[in-house]
Amino acid sequence: MRFQLLGPLSIAHGPETVVLKPSKPTSLLAALLLHPGAVVSTGYLLRAVWDEEPPATARAALQTCVLRLRRLFAKYGISATTIEAVPGGYRMRNDTETLDLVLFRLLTAQARAAAGTDGELYRLREALSLWHGQPLANVASRMLQRDAVPALEQERLRVLERICDLELAAGNCHQVLVDLYESARRHPVRERFTEQLIEALYRTGRQAEALAEYRTVRDRLREELGVDPGPGLRRLELAILRAEELGPAVRGEGFAELPSRQEPSAVTGPVPPGGSGAGAGSGAAQPGRTGAPVAPGGGVAPVRGFAGREADLRAMALRLTDADGPRLVVVSGAPGIGKSALARQSAYEVRDAFPGGVRVVDLARPDGGALDVEEARELLPGPDGGGRRLLLLDNAAGAGQVLPLLSGTGDASVLVTSRRGLAAVVATHGGAVHRLDVLGPGEAHRLLAGLVGAERIGAEEAAARELAAVCGHFPLALRIAAGRLLTRPGLSVADCAAWLAEDPPARLALAEDPRMSVPDVFGQAVSVLPPPLRETFLRVGSLDPAEGLCAAGSETVLEQLVEAGMLEDGPPGQPYRIHAFLRVYARWLARDGEDAAATTSLTR
């Protein structure tokens, strides 16, 4: 059972959530829950329930409201002593298990303690996921609506601002645009959201839109409040008008210290150092997701927490820096296997070989869809005559997206990441394909240790190996499992592994971020397959691993699944293989479809 304040006041009881009707007992309950564990005076409660005009019998009526709440609690197995009568008023003792507000504040406190690491972002996203609408929307108390609701909303906005700062610092400008558009529109006088939106637009090559946003908020502030934009916005406008390159976005010290009119983080600051926070997973919060130029000679940042892949990094470095080597290198592989992380880390490590700079262009939309060719062309940097350049085209959807762009890359070396092998691109332009496999057991262990902490992982070595196996040694799945451990300090590695093992494809997901969800990332990859390929992929899950995959479909279809990143070339005698974790996902997806069909037939 849990009381929920971060939305309409409700009681969650098992799978059922009961939204309370507006009433005096509901206002009383809200007033008590807003002060968990504290004695709330009778006078305060009277004002919360009756505002400024309590009747002469208000104290007796307050006791009646308490009795009505206790009867309501009894329906859901909640003890009547949950509301304690104490000298001077009443008290409710709530904790993280029984009140979402307590859990929200604990997670934000943990985020402050983890400032500067990826644990901060995990905890903030977990905290934000607890919100499910306008707080206390069904509470009629004018006093609480006037005093308590704005304070709660400020807590949420501070968290959202900090999340957007961290995403910008990670280079995830495209992904954060949706949140920033909505926040800037809903809170036009909260200048920090507008600063972040303008920064994200400029970093993705949309200078005209960035300036239009600045002028819109400038005019609104002058007309409605008679003030000019703050210094942060003015400096950002000047940088755009001068076409200046923004320095790497800065993570900052923590969301609690961020004022609403903060100086823009893009103006100065070092590249965020590599550390133990991110990892080698695809879809991670990583630096460099921008179409805007970065600093010449290596402004691309290292991937935080990158672990393993030593042989891959060596091979990539040789290919990219060889003067006579391929001008085009494709990194391909299954969804969630760490293509983007490897490419970005490789680009960072060889940056000194490219005096003309390293540029990164993300070809994916925030929702996982693909940019069209014209949108992608707008993000390509023009030649600047600064020497040999490296251009990273990240998350390419296929040859049809990449081929038209290559004519606009000049003499730059081009590194492309894609689930697809892009055979048509390599066949027409030459180049090399680097096919990425899952992490080895040792690499997976080092990634977990870097993300969660060597001491915690080292204390449960066997359980950590089991956790890595449950995740199929997929970087994406390992990062999600690490995120769960980071946001639950009391959870043992063994318990986490056991819980995930019961239903890995469904449970390997972090709330509020589809990029950190196996069902979303793998599901998007399957959804774009033509129907014959989808059906063959689902059949693969039902086959015995020892049988081989040729029984699943024709050679033509299986070859197309290899090209799509869903199958791999196999050993002699078995020309095709599938990663064990993808097989588990295919089986789960097929079973999920069967369950849905059975439910539909029963309800007809």
Side-chain angles (χ1 to χ4, degrees):
M1 181 280 305
R2 172 178 288 178
F3 295 102
Q4 297 181 156
L5 275 177
L6 306 181
L9 180 55
S10 55
I11 300 175
H13 181 68
E16 180 183 9
T17 299
V18 179
V19 178
L20 303 182
K21 295 179 180 179
S23 64
K24 288 180 171 57
T26 299
S27 295
L28 171 62
L29 179 59
L32 291 168
L33 291 173
L34 285 165
H35 303 87
V39 175
V40 185
S41 71
T42 301
Y44 178 89
L45 294 174
L46 291 174
R47 292 193 300 276
V49 175
W50 284 278
D51 294 301
E52 301 302 326
E53 300 176 358
T57 58
R59 290 182 179 270
L62 187 65
Q63 294 175 353
T64 301
C65 288
V66 171
L67 291 174
R68 288 174 61 186
L69 285 176
R70 286 171 174 166
R71 284 198 295 269
L72 175 67
F73 292 173
K75 290 175 57 177
Y76 301 103
I78 305 171
S79 171
T81 59
T82 299
I83 299 181
E84 301 177 58
V86 295
Y90 293 88
R91 173 172 57 199
M92 290 185 69
R93 298 184 184 274
N94 294 104
D95 56 23
T96 57
E97 298 296 323
T98 60
L99 180 59
D100 58 358
L101 179 61
V102 176
L103 180 57
F104 173 80
R105 287 171 174 168
L106 173 65
L107 289 169
T108 55
Q110 291 174 344
R112 282 193 292 272
T117 73
D118 285 271
E120 180 184 11
L121 183 57
Y122 285 129
R123 289 175 174 88
L124 291 178
R125 284 212 171 274
E126 183 89 355
L128 200 61
S129 72
L130 298 173
W131 287 75
H132 51 282
Q134 178 68 20
L136 307 184
N138 55 335
V139 174
S141 168
R142 292 197 300 271
M143 185 187 87
L144 296 183
Q145 291 294 332
R146 182 188 65 239
D147 300 335
V149 170
L152 288 174
E153 184 66 9
Q154 288 301 310
E155 291 187 60
R156 185 186 72 85
L157 293 177
R158 283 198 297 272
V159 169
L160 182 56
E161 279 183 357
R162 182 58 180 163
I163 286 173
C164 292
D165 273 333
L166 293 172
E167 293 284 22
L168 288 174
N172 298 330
C173 299
H174 281 292
Q175 292 87 330
V176 82
L177 274 174
V178 174
D179 283 340
L180 287 175
Y181 270 121
E182 180 183 1
S183 300
R185 298 296 185 268
R186 292 183 62 184
H187 308 282
V189 298
R190 196 176 181 97
E191 291 184 29
R192 183 58 192 145
F193 284 133
T194 303
E195 288 179 24
Q196 292 169 326
L197 174 59
I198 292 172
E199 178 182 337
L201 288 169
Y202 185 53
R203 286 180 178 277
T204 52
R206 298 156 71 174
Q207 293 91 332
E209 290 179 61
L211 284 172
E213 287 294 332
Y214 172 82
R215 287 161 185 162
T216 297
V217 74
R218 179 197 61 193
D219 294 344
R220 182 183 295 116
L221 289 171
R222 287 177 177 174
E223 291 172 8
E224 297 180 5
L225 301 177
V227 298
D228 286 322
L233 275 171
R234 294 199 301 272
R235 290 184 188 180
L236 198 51
E237 181 210 22
L238 188 59
I240 296 171
L241 291 172
R242 292 174 174 172
E244 295 175 352
E245 291 185 358
L246 302 182
V250 182
R251 295 176 66 100
E253 296 300 324
F255 74 92
E257 289 72 39
L258 290 178
S260 59
R261 290 179 64 143
Q262 184 190 2
E263 297 295 314
S265 61
V267 175
T268 59
V271 174
S276 60
S282 175
Q286 296 165 357
R289 286 187 180 273
T290 173
V294 295
V300 65
V303 177
R304 297 185 305 277
F306 190 92
R309 303 289 198 203
E310 288 86 357
D312 293 298
L313 286 171
R314 287 195 297 271
M316 294 286 291
L318 287 172
R319 284 173 170 165
L320 292 171
T321 59
D322 185 352
D324 299 320
R327 192 180 69 85
L328 173 69
V329 177
V330 175
V331 180
S332 67
I337 207 163
K339 302 177 291 295
S340 293
L342 175 66
R344 292 166 187 275
Q345 185 68 18
S346 296
Y348 172 75
E349 295 192 1
V350 302
R351 65 196 186 283
D352 290 342
F354 295 91
V358 178
R359 310 296 198 272
V360 181
V361 176
D362 193 338
L363 299 180
R365 297 182 185 278
D367 61 2
L371 296 179
D372 62 39
V373 172
E374 289 308 313
E375 288 175 318
R377 277 201 179 107
E378 292 179 2
L379 300 179
L380 292 180
D384 55 14
R388 188 182 183 192
R389 298 180 301 147
L390 175 62
L391 176 63
L392 169 54
L393 301 178
D394 203 10
N395 297 310
Q401 187 187 35
V402 174
L403 283 170
L405 301 179
L406 292 179
S407 60
T409 59
D411 59 355
S413 295
V414 182
L415 177 58
V416 184
T417 72
S418 177
R419 288 195 299 268
R420 310 191 69 85
L422 301 185
V425 176
V426 176
T428 55
H429 286 74
V433 177
H434 188 93
R435 188 75 177 185
L436 204 54
D437 208 337
V438 297
L439 295 172
E443 293 176 315
H445 185 277
R446 291 200 297 279
L447 179 56
L448 283 173
L451 293 169
V452 181
E455 183 177 351
R456 189 172 175 189
I457 294 299
E460 296 184 77
E461 289 281 354
R465 288 194 294 272
E466 177 61 26
L467 179 60
V470 168
C471 294
H473 300 107
F474 261 68
L476 172 64
L478 289 164
R479 282 179 49 81
I480 294 169
R484 185 167 186 82
L485 289 168
L486 282 167
T487 55
R488 292 165 176 81
L491 180 66
S492 71
V493 178
D495 286 344
C496 181
W499 184 77
L500 291 175
E502 294 177 6
D503 196 359
R507 292 182 174 179
L508 279 164
L510 297 180
E512 293 294 304
D513 192 346
R515 296 167 297 161
M516 300 300 292
S517 164
V518 165
D520 284 344
V521 173
F522 284 17
Q524 195 275 338
V526 172
S527 69
V528 299
L529 296 174
L533 271 65
R534 282 202 299 269
E535 294 166 6
T536 301
F537 177 72
L538 294 180
R539 281 198 295 273
V540 165
S542 64
L543 296 176
D544 188 309
E547 293 181 29
L549 303 184
C550 290
S554 68
E555 181 177 349
T556 300
V557 170
L558 294 174
E559 284 291 334
Q560 289 176 320
L561 284 174
V562 171
E563 167 65 14
M566 307 307 287
L567 297 182
E568 305 297 318
D569 293 325
Q574 293 187 355
Y576 306 103
R577 67 184 176 91
I578 185 172
H579 294 304
F581 191 65
L582 268 176
R583 184 191 293 273
V584 171
Y585 173 75
R587 188 179 302 125
W588 174 81
L589 196 60
R591 185 186 71 230
D592 192 52
E594 292 169 359
D595 291 345
T599 300
T600 301
S601 65
L602 288 172
T603 56
R604 284 177 178 168

Coordinates of all heavy atoms in Angstrom, one line a residue, residues 440-479:
G440 N 32.8 -9.9 -23.3 CA 33.3 -11.2 -22.6 C 32.9 -11.1 -21.2 O 32.7 -10.0 -20.6
P441 N 33.0 -12.2 -20.5 CA 32.6 -12.2 -19.0 C 33.5 -11.2 -18.2 O 32.9 -10.5 -17.3 CB 32.9 -13.7 -18.6 CG 32.7 -14.5 -19.9 CD 33.2 -13.6 -21.0
G442 N 34.8 -11.2 -18.5 CA 35.6 -10.3 -17.7 C 35.3 -8.8 -18.0 O 35.3 -8.0 -17.1
E443 N 35.0 -8.5 -19.3 CA 34.6 -7.2 -19.7 C 33.3 -6.7 -19.0 O 33.1 -5.6 -18.6 CB 34.5 -7.1 -21.2 CG 35.8 -7.2 -21.9 CD 35.6 -7.2 -23.4 OE1 34.7 -7.9 -23.9 OE2 36.4 -6.5 -24.1
A444 N 32.3 -7.7 -19.0 CA 31.0 -7.4 -18.4 C 31.2 -7.1 -16.9 O 30.6 -6.2 -16.3 CB 30.1 -8.6 -18.6
H445 N 32.1 -7.9 -16.3 CA 32.4 -7.7 -14.8 C 33.0 -6.3 -14.6 O 32.6 -5.6 -13.7 CB 33.3 -8.8 -14.3 CG 33.5 -8.7 -12.8 ND1 34.5 -7.9 -12.3 CD2 32.9 -9.4 -11.8 CE1 34.4 -8.0 -10.9 NE2 33.5 -8.9 -10.6
R446 N 33.9 -5.9 -15.5 CA 34.5 -4.6 -15.3 C 33.6 -3.4 -15.5 O 33.6 -2.4 -14.9 CB 35.7 -4.4 -16.2 CG 36.9 -5.3 -15.9 CD 38.2 -4.9 -16.5 NE 38.2 -4.9 -17.9 CZ 38.4 -6.0 -18.7 NH1 38.6 -7.1 -18.1 NH2 38.4 -5.9 -20.0
L447 N 32.6 -3.6 -16.5 CA 31.6 -2.6 -16.7 C 30.7 -2.5 -15.5 O 30.5 -1.4 -15.1 CB 30.8 -3.0 -18.0 CG 29.7 -2.0 -18.3 CD1 30.2 -0.6 -18.5 CD2 28.9 -2.5 -19.6
L448 N 30.3 -3.6 -14.9 CA 29.4 -3.5 -13.7 C 30.2 -2.8 -12.6 O 29.6 -2.0 -11.9 CB 29.0 -4.9 -13.3 CG 27.9 -5.5 -14.1 CD1 27.6 -7.0 -13.7 CD2 26.6 -4.8 -14.0
A449 N 31.5 -3.2 -12.4 CA 32.2 -2.6 -11.3 C 32.4 -1.1 -11.5 O 32.4 -0.3 -10.6 CB 33.6 -3.3 -11.2
G450 N 32.6 -0.7 -12.8 CA 32.8 0.7 -13.1 C 31.5 1.5 -12.8 O 31.5 2.7 -12.4
L451 N 30.4 0.9 -13.1 CA 29.1 1.6 -13.0 C 28.6 1.6 -11.5 O 28.1 2.6 -11.0 CB 28.0 0.9 -13.9 CG 28.2 1.0 -15.4 CD1 27.3 0.1 -16.1 CD2 28.0 2.5 -15.8
V452 N 28.7 0.4 -10.9 CA 28.1 0.3 -9.6 C 29.1 0.5 -8.4 O 28.7 1.0 -7.4 CB 27.4 -1.1 -9.4 CG1 26.8 -1.3 -8.1 CG2 26.4 -1.4 -10.5
G453 N 30.3 0.3 -8.7 CA 31.4 0.4 -7.7 C 32.1 -0.9 -7.5 O 31.4 -2.0 -7.3
A454 N 33.4 -0.9 -7.6 CA 34.2 -2.1 -7.5 C 34.0 -2.8 -6.2 O 33.9 -4.1 -6.1 CB 35.7 -1.8 -7.7
E455 N 33.8 -2.1 -5.1 CA 33.6 -2.7 -3.8 C 32.3 -3.5 -3.7 O 32.3 -4.7 -3.2 CB 33.7 -1.7 -2.7 CG 33.5 -2.2 -1.2 CD 33.7 -1.1 -0.2 OE1 34.0 0.0 -0.5 OE2 33.4 -1.4 1.0
R456 N 31.2 -2.9 -4.2 CA 29.9 -3.6 -4.1 C 29.9 -4.8 -5.0 O 29.4 -5.9 -4.6 CB 28.8 -2.6 -4.5 CG 27.4 -3.1 -4.2 CD 26.4 -2.0 -4.5 NE 25.0 -2.5 -4.4 CZ 24.0 -1.8 -4.7 NH1 24.2 -0.5 -5.1 NH2 22.8 -2.2 -4.6
I457 N 30.5 -4.7 -6.2 CA 30.5 -5.8 -7.1 C 31.5 -6.9 -6.6 O 31.2 -8.1 -6.7 CB 30.8 -5.4 -8.5 CG1 29.7 -4.5 -9.1 CG2 31.1 -6.6 -9.4 CD1 28.4 -5.1 -9.2
G458 N 32.6 -6.5 -6.1 CA 33.6 -7.4 -5.6 C 33.1 -8.2 -4.4 O 33.6 -9.4 -4.2
A459 N 32.2 -7.7 -3.6 CA 31.7 -8.4 -2.4 C 30.8 -9.5 -2.8 O 30.5 -10.4 -2.0 CB 30.9 -7.4 -1.5
E460 N 30.3 -9.5 -4.1 CA 29.4 -10.6 -4.5 C 29.8 -11.1 -5.9 O 29.1 -10.9 -6.9 CB 27.9 -10.1 -4.6 CG 27.4 -9.8 -3.2 CD 25.9 -9.4 -3.3 OE1 25.1 -10.3 -3.5 OE2 25.6 -8.2 -3.3
E461 N 31.0 -11.6 -6.0 CA 31.6 -11.9 -7.3 C 30.8 -12.9 -8.1 O 30.5 -12.8 -9.3 CB 33.0 -12.5 -7.1 CG 34.1 -11.5 -6.6 CD 34.6 -10.7 -7.8 OE1 34.2 -11.0 -8.9 OE2 35.4 -9.7 -7.5
A462 N 30.3 -14.0 -7.4 CA 29.6 -15.0 -8.1 C 28.2 -14.5 -8.6 O 27.8 -14.7 -9.7 CB 29.3 -16.2 -7.2
A463 N 27.6 -13.7 -7.7 CA 26.3 -13.1 -8.1 C 26.5 -12.1 -9.2 O 25.6 -12.0 -10.1 CB 25.7 -12.4 -6.9
A464 N 27.6 -11.4 -9.3 CA 27.9 -10.4 -10.4 C 28.0 -11.2 -11.7 O 27.5 -10.7 -12.7 CB 29.1 -9.6 -10.1
R465 N 28.7 -12.4 -11.6 CA 28.8 -13.2 -12.8 C 27.5 -13.7 -13.3 O 27.1 -13.7 -14.5 CB 29.8 -14.3 -12.6 CG 31.2 -13.9 -12.5 CD 32.1 -15.2 -12.6 NE 32.0 -16.1 -11.5 CZ 32.6 -16.0 -10.3 NH1 33.5 -15.0 -10.1 NH2 32.4 -16.9 -9.3
E466 N 26.6 -14.1 -12.3 CA 25.3 -14.5 -12.7 C 24.4 -13.4 -13.3 O 23.7 -13.5 -14.2 CB 24.6 -15.1 -11.4 CG 23.1 -15.5 -11.6 CD 23.0 -16.6 -12.7 OE1 23.9 -17.4 -12.9 OE2 21.9 -16.7 -13.3
L467 N 24.6 -12.2 -12.7 CA 23.9 -11.0 -13.2 C 24.3 -10.7 -14.7 O 23.4 -10.4 -15.5 CB 24.1 -9.8 -12.3 CG 23.5 -8.5 -12.8 CD1 22.0 -8.6 -12.8 CD2 23.9 -7.3 -11.8
A468 N 25.6 -10.8 -14.9 CA 26.1 -10.5 -16.3 C 25.5 -11.6 -17.3 O 25.2 -11.3 -18.4 CB 27.6 -10.6 -16.3
A469 N 25.4 -12.8 -16.8 CA 24.9 -13.9 -17.6 C 23.4 -13.7 -17.9 O 22.9 -13.9 -19.0 CB 25.1 -15.3 -17.0
V470 N 22.6 -13.3 -16.9 CA 21.2 -12.9 -17.1 C 21.1 -11.9 -18.1 O 20.1 -11.9 -18.9 CB 20.6 -12.5 -15.7 CG1 19.2 -11.9 -16.0 CG2 20.5 -13.7 -14.8
C471 N 22.0 -10.9 -18.2 CA 21.9 -9.8 -19.1 C 22.5 -10.2 -20.5 O 22.6 -9.4 -21.4 CB 22.7 -8.6 -18.6 SG 21.9 -7.9 -17.1
G472 N 22.9 -11.5 -20.6 CA 23.5 -11.9 -21.9 C 24.8 -11.2 -22.3 O 25.2 -11.2 -23.4
H473 N 25.4 -10.5 -21.3 CA 26.6 -9.8 -21.6 C 26.4 -8.6 -22.6 O 27.3 -8.2 -23.2 CB 27.8 -10.7 -22.0 CG 28.2 -11.7 -21.0 ND1 27.9 -13.0 -21.2 CD2 28.7 -11.7 -19.8 CE1 28.3 -13.8 -20.1 NE2 28.8 -12.9 -19.3
F474 N 25.1 -8.2 -22.7 CA 24.8 -7.1 -23.5 C 25.0 -5.8 -22.8 O 24.5 -5.6 -21.7 CB 23.3 -7.2 -23.9 CG 23.1 -7.7 -25.3 CD1 23.3 -9.0 -25.6 CD2 22.6 -6.9 -26.3 CE1 23.1 -9.6 -26.8 CE2 22.4 -7.4 -27.6 CZ 22.6 -8.8 -27.8
P475 N 25.8 -4.9 -23.3 CA 26.0 -3.6 -22.6 C 24.8 -2.9 -22.1 O 24.7 -2.4 -21.0 CB 26.9 -2.8 -23.6 CG 27.6 -3.8 -24.4 CD 26.6 -5.0 -24.5
L476 N 23.8 -2.8 -23.0 CA 22.5 -2.1 -22.7 C 21.9 -2.8 -21.5 O 21.5 -2.1 -20.5 CB 21.6 -2.2 -23.8 CG 20.2 -1.6 -23.5 CD1 20.2 -0.1 -23.2 CD2 19.2 -1.9 -24.7
A477 N 21.8 -4.1 -21.5 CA 21.1 -4.8 -20.4 C 22.0 -4.6 -19.1 O 21.4 -4.5 -18.0 CB 21.0 -6.3 -20.7
L478 N 23.3 -4.6 -19.2 CA 24.1 -4.5 -18.0 C 24.0 -3.1 -17.4 O 24.0 -2.9 -16.2 CB 25.6 -4.7 -18.4 CG 26.0 -6.2 -18.7 CD1 27.3 -6.3 -19.4 CD2 26.0 -7.0 -17.4
R479 N 23.9 -2.1 -18.3 CA 23.7 -0.7 -17.8 C 22.4 -0.6 -17.1 O 22.2 0.1 -16.1 CB 23.8 0.3 -18.9 CG 25.2 0.6 -19.4 CD 25.1 1.6 -20.6 NE 24.3 2.7 -20.3 CZ 24.7 3.8 -19.6 NH1 25.9 3.8 -19.0 NH2 23.8 4.8 -19.4

